[in-house]
């Protein structure tokens, strides 16, 4: 009887350790996944905040195309479009000013 009680106690503790450790491991795994997952950006001025807008499809009266980019990508998109438009206008003005 004296030997049975410590053996039973050790067996009970070992069983608890095996049943608790998967729960603890699962909780640790969930915390690790939360740490890896980036937080959602709520500041609309942040360079990585994603904005979407709809543009009309040429040749269609009702169809729209949705474009989503970050603020930094929209800024580059705008700069590129402005630069290209300015270059086009300058090229056209140079072509009109030539005298033959």
């Amino acid at each position: 009887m004296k030997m049975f009680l410590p053996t039973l106690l050790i067996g009970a503790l070992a069983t608890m350790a095996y049943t608790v450790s998967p729960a603890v491991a699962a909780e640790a795994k969930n915390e690790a996944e939360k740490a890896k997952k980036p937080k959602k950006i709520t500041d609309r001025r942040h360079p990585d905040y994603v904005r979407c807008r709809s543009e009309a499809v040429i040749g269609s009266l009702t169809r729209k195309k949705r474009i989503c980019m970050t603020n930094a990508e929209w800024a580059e998109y705008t700069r590129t479009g402005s630069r290209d438009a300015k270059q086009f206008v300058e090229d056209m003005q140079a072509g009109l000013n030539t005298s033959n």
Side-chain angles (χ1 to χ4, degrees), residues 7-40:
T7 307
L8 183 65
L9 184 61
I10 290 172
L13 290 175
T15 304
M16 281 182 36
Y18 283 120
T19 57
V20 171
S21 64
V24 172
E27 185 176 319
K29 184 179 176 184
N30 288 340
E31 289 177 11
E33 288 177 4
K34 288 180 184 177
K36 289 180 187 176
K37 190 180 203 181
K39 292 184 179 179
K40 187 173 181 178

Side-chain angles (χ1 to χ4, degrees), residues 2 6 10-11 13-14 16 26-27 36-37 39-42 44 49-50 54 69 73 79 81-82 95:
K2 289 182 181 181
I10 290 172
L13 290 175
M16 281 182 36
E27 185 176 319
K36 289 180 187 176
K37 190 180 203 181
K39 292 184 179 179
K40 187 173 181 178
I41 300 171
T42 57
R44 290 177 173 244
Y49 182 81
V50 177
S54 296
M69 291 190 268
E73 291 171 333
R79 277 193 298 273
S82 296

